[in-house]
Amino acid sequence: ATAKQPYRTSYHFQPQENWMNDPNGPMYYKGVYHLFYQHNPEAATFGDRIVWGHSVSYDLINWIHLNNAIEPSGPYDINSCWSGSATIIPGKEEPMILYTGIDDKKHQVQNLAVPRNLSDTFLREWVKHSQNPVMTPPSGVEVDNFRDPSTAWQGKDGKWRVVVGAQNGDEGKAILYQSEDFVNWKVDPNPFYASQNTGVCECPDFFPVYINGSTNGVETSLQNPSVRHVLKISYLRKQHDYYFLGNYASDQGNFIPDVRFTGTSSDLRYDYGKFYASKSFFETAKNRRILWGWVNESDSTQDDIQKGWAGLQTIPRQVWLDKSGKRLVQWPLEEVEQLRGKHIRITRENLEHGSNLEVSGITASQADVEVLFELPELEKAEFLDPNGVDPQLLCSQEYAARSGTIGPFGLLALASKDLKEHTAVFFRIYRAPNGYVCLMCSDQSRSSLRHDLDKTTYGSILDIDPNLKTISLRSLIDHSIVESFGDEGRVCITSRVYPSLAIDKDAHLYVFNYGSQSVVVSELNAWSMKQAEIGYEGNISYT
Ligand code: FRU
């Protein structure tokens, strides 16, 4: 980030310029990570000729930009190449990409592309299959709402299966297809998943997770009693990524979620802030499932045109099922820690009511901070009945500066010296009818003196153990993004902010407690983060 580009990030994935949205076809192939992404090469806004940008990496942090991998070329994708996924065929070790084409009639169809040359380490060139399109809108699906094929999985019968997002009126669906050869696909007349009054299901992602609390990822095709399944749907109307834990009834060809979508704050989300159209993949090097998500801007289109770019990807996260079996856990990949530079450590610091302690000595505009808070006796907490409460609303009412009993306590990120600007990421603990709950908020309302920004406060409520003694918070701060992980990754909130004062050296970081009860910073570790090497092939030293 420079003075002219104060909001450009230093270690988040971005193209050199112009518009980016969904992550596409992430995969790990012969020692190389690939990230494709929805890209408008012509402008910093979405457009009518979207292509697949392509970058490669050896560590998921430093990236080499290559030429676009997939661009409109035939009648089946002439009006754009939209989102899709990669599948690596075992045995043959061949990657296949299924993506959505906007065809010459502006209908949405699914197409197949394969690498031209498997011995090119970076798989720079992709060839479209002669039988494209390989899927066209089936009956009961709107021709312009049929998109985003998932990574395929192989059933016990050897057949490949994928789901495609769709809509019919108000009904959202994930449509199941089967194939023996990846080219000829047969639609299943019954939807794999459907939801009423939701509108279109975008970017379905379907994968198994271990039920024993292991952080290991599971290969997408694995089916046995040691796993359960996750279906993620991006609901366009909500602009959020919701996930469902449930049973995969492979014989019936459908997915039965434990809990249905309600459209309320009780639905589970990957992230309670800005995060959409995410996609996961299983990686064999470290046996992990890795999740990428698109983070949209919160400034105006006019601002984006001025900046010359729009859209970020999150730091890739490892994802697994919590030992409770009730929710997923996400944690930034350990590779990001290689960027940690100067380190500041604070231990056993008592934060009385109204304290603000500056974490000085690091670059607060570009930092990784982990803090463990020691809680007072939980019985002292105020009462809250979380039923019917919208945590987002609660976060905007119970803003950071307002005192409670236990909390608000947390971090003030990207803060100006006078605190006129700050992004508050914090917790409040409440006594609830059936135990205790923790409210986590990311409050952007005071993040900038600038106007015309979306400063919605984000929040979520988490059940906590009545014997809980500590709670952790980690935030990855990178100029215009704050990605926060509460309670070891059980709640994630990503915020986009555009400070006018708290830029570069004028940004500060504080740990605070405005609750009437003291909390103790049991341990705080903060690091200045180095810049990741992200650039065009040939222009960077990273190879
Ligand atoms: C999600 C989405 C997808 C579509 C793509 C177009 O953000 O709308 O459904 O394939 O973006 O860029």
Side-chain angles (χ1 to χ4, degrees):
T2 67
K4 258 185 82 196
Q5 280 280 7
Y7 309 124
R8 199 143 168 107
T9 61
S10 285
Y11 62 96
H12 280 73
F13 180 86
Q14 298 192 248
Q16 210 81 359
E17 56 180 0
N18 291 324
W19 169 269
M20 169 171 70
N21 57 300
D22 314 357
N24 290 156
M27 63 172 179
Y28 177 68
Y29 183 71
K30 295 190 180 160
V32 178
Y33 295 96
H34 293 256
L35 176 66
F36 306 87
Y37 54 90
Q38 290 285 285
H39 182 45
N40 180 1
E42 308 291 333
T45 50
F46 191 72
D48 53 15
R49 193 182 172 278
I50 295 292
V51 307
W52 277 44
H54 184 197
S55 301
V56 289
S57 172
Y58 294 106
D59 57 14
L60 292 149
I61 297 298
N62 301 290
W63 291 91
I64 303 168
H65 294 315
L66 305 173
N67 290 340
N68 296 327
I70 305 178
E71 294 183 329
S73 67
Y76 50 81
D77 70 0
I78 198 67
N79 285 306
S80 274
C81 301
W82 280 13
S83 285
S85 308
T87 304
I88 298 170
I89 308 292
K92 289 201 250 174
E93 295 308 313
E94 242 179 288
M96 304 273 182
I97 283 177
L98 284 170
Y99 70 96
T100 299
I102 309 298
D103 76 4
D104 49 0
K105 297 195 273 316
K106 301 244 166 110
H107 292 182
Q108 298 179 2
V109 298
Q110 317 315 322
N111 301 314
L112 179 64
V114 298
R116 183 179 298 284
N117 177 5
L118 281 181
S119 52
D120 169 16
T121 3
F122 289 170
L123 303 175
R124 289 174 179 83
E125 283 184 73
W126 290 76
V127 186
K128 296 171 186 174
H129 199 276
S130 59
Q131 269 175 253
N132 281 342
V134 295
M135 298 170 202
T136 55
S139 76
V141 166
E142 295 168 10
V143 294
D144 54 351
N145 279 304
F146 175 57
R147 56 182 175 270
D148 311 336
S150 70
T151 292
W153 69 97
Q154 199 168 24
K156 292 184 176 134
D157 56 6
K159 283 191 203 155
W160 288 101
R161 286 152 174 87
V162 297
V163 281
V164 181
Q167 159 174 320
N168 189 20
D170 257 4
E171 186 185 30
K173 306 197 238 196
I175 307 287
L176 181 69
Y177 279 81
Q178 298 192 28
S179 172
E180 271 163 34
D181 58 4
F182 231 88
V183 178
N184 295 287
W185 292 92
K186 203 172 144 246
V187 67
D188 196 314
N190 301 313
F192 188 70
Y193 166 84
S195 53
Q196 307 308 317
N197 310 313
T198 58
V200 67
C201 291
E202 294 190 314
C203 302
D205 193 16
F206 180 64
F207 58 89
V209 286
Y210 284 120
I211 53 179
N212 64 359
S214 161
T215 61
N216 284 348
V218 187
E219 203 281 314
T220 311
S221 297
L222 190 101
Q223 281 172 50
N224 71 31
S226 67
V227 303
R228 300 205 76 203
H229 280 81
V230 176
L231 177 68
K232 184 276 296 185
I233 300 289
S234 305
Y235 281 119
L236 177 66
R237 280 191 197 161
K238 298 270 185 189
Q239 287 288 311
H240 298 311
D241 278 11
Y242 295 87
Y243 69 85
F244 304 91
L245 295 162
N247 291 328
Y248 171 35
S250 51
D251 300 337
Q252 282 96 289
N254 65 6
F255 173 78
I256 302 138
D258 295 348
V259 185
R260 287 156 63 103
F261 182 67
T262 65
T264 69
S265 55
S266 68
D267 300 317
L268 290 170
R269 284 165 53 184
Y270 279 154
D271 192 296
Y272 293 86
K274 228 155 211 186
F275 181 97
Y276 193 65
S278 64
K279 197 173 294 293
S280 73
F281 70 107
F282 175 68
E283 176 243 276
T284 49
K286 295 185 181 172
N287 272 301
R288 301 175 286 189
R289 183 157 290 270
I290 297 173
L291 178 71
W292 282 101
W294 167 44
V295 189
N296 199 353
E297 300 297 316
S298 293
D299 61 0
S300 68
T301 302
Q302 208 40 52
D303 293 328
D304 295 344
I305 292 167
Q306 233 153 57
K307 298 195 310 245
W309 58 270
L312 303 177
Q313 303 295 335
T314 56
I315 295 300
R317 303 172 179 177
Q318 187 166 345
V319 52
W320 67 92
L321 182 64
D322 183 42
K323 56 182 182 305
S324 71
K326 293 202 177 124
R327 54 169 70 227
L328 295 174
V329 187
Q330 299 161 71
W331 198 245
L333 291 189
E334 62 186 14
E335 280 84 346
V336 76
E337 294 166 22
Q338 77 195 45
L339 297 175
R340 286 174 172 175
K342 192 169 175 211
H343 176 206
I344 295 292
R345 184 156 181 265
I346 296 171
T347 53
R348 300 231 42 90
E349 189 75 45
N350 190 46
L351 293 183
E352 277 169 21
H353 168 70
S355 342
N356 261 334
L357 174 69
E358 180 161 9
V359 180
S360 44
I362 56 157
T363 55
S365 59
Q366 200 174 305
D368 181 358
V369 46
E370 284 192 80
V371 47
L372 187 66
F373 294 99
E374 227 172 82
L375 299 169
E377 292 294 322
L378 293 190
E379 290 98 83
K380 298 192 170 120
E382 289 153 276
F383 181 79
L384 175 80
D385 185 350
N387 289 308
V389 165
D390 179 353
Q392 179 149 334
L393 219 65
L394 196 61
C395 284
S396 56
Q397 292 157 354
E398 306 285 300
Y399 58 88
R402 189 132 126 201
S403 173
T405 307
I406 308 185
F409 60 88
L411 296 167
L412 302 178
L414 296 170
S416 60
K417 189 77 207 171
D418 56 8
L419 292 183
K420 273 208 186 91
E421 288 185 340
H422 61 264
T423 297
V425 185
F426 61 89
F427 298 118
R428 286 197 58 163
I429 310 280
Y430 298 95
R431 199 158 37 79
N434 303 311
Y436 291 91
V437 295
C438 174
L439 174 73
M440 176 172 164
C441 307
S442 182
D443 181 356
Q444 293 75 246
S445 57
R446 290 156 191 79
S447 59
S448 178
L449 299 179
R450 286 179 51 195
H451 301 286
D452 297 322
L453 301 171
D454 171 6
K455 297 182 192 170
T456 312
T457 294
Y458 309 127
S460 180
I461 291 176
L462 176 78
D463 287 329
I464 54 170
D465 183 332
N467 299 315
L468 193 72
K469 297 278 180 292
T470 58
I471 192 156
S472 69
L473 175 63
R474 178 175 182 191
S475 290
L476 293 168
I477 303 161
D478 193 3
H479 300 277
S480 65
I481 184 169
V482 181
E483 275 187 76
S484 301
F485 301 82
D487 195 24
E488 297 173 332
R490 289 186 188 87
V491 185
C492 309
I493 310 183
T494 298
S495 299
R496 293 301 308 279
V497 292
Y498 308 84
S500 65
L501 307 169
I503 294 173
D504 294 334
K505 284 184 216 56
D506 298 318
H508 300 265
L509 174 68
Y510 299 85
V511 59
F512 77 95
N513 174 28
Y514 299 153
S516 60
Q517 294 290 313
S518 302
V519 295
V520 176
V521 172
S522 164
E523 177 166 1
L524 180 149
N525 289 289
W527 293 266
S528 293
M529 292 296 270
K530 293 172 209 144
Q531 184 156 11
E533 258 205 277
I534 304 175
Y536 285 107
E537 198 175 6
N539 290 349
I540 52 173
S541 55
Y542 167 75
T543 43

